[in-house]
Amino acid sequence: MGAHRGARVYVHIQTREDAQNAPSPFTTFSLFYDGQLVTHEILLEKKFDKILADKV
């Protein structure tokens, strides 16, 4: 996605316990940056790039 590079962590939630222990109640589309919840929206590439550009 875009020209941004960096560590990406994908967490595959497989059980109810995984979901209950997730860092956000919006587990499906959560985006975190530096440990902070940025959004829980479904992101298109353009919006994802804008969010990262604002953060970097």
Side-chain angles (χ1 to χ4, degrees):
M1 289 193 160
H4 300 287
R5 299 287 182 249
R8 293 188 179 120
V9 177
Y10 299 93
V11 179
H12 187 181
I13 296 174
Q14 298 183 11
T15 67
R16 178 175 48 117
E17 289 77 18
D18 290 346
Q20 289 174 337
N21 293 317
S24 168
F26 311 103
T27 55
T28 306
F29 298 106
S30 296
L31 173 64
F32 289 83
Y33 185 83
D34 284 339
Q36 298 291 324
L37 177 65
V38 175
T39 185
H40 63 276
E41 300 175 41
I42 299 172
L43 297 175
L44 297 175
E45 184 175 354
K46 185 176 180 179
K47 186 164 184 176
F48 179 81
D49 288 343
K50 181 182 180 331
I51 289 171
L52 285 183
D54 291 344
K55 296 289 182 186
V56 176

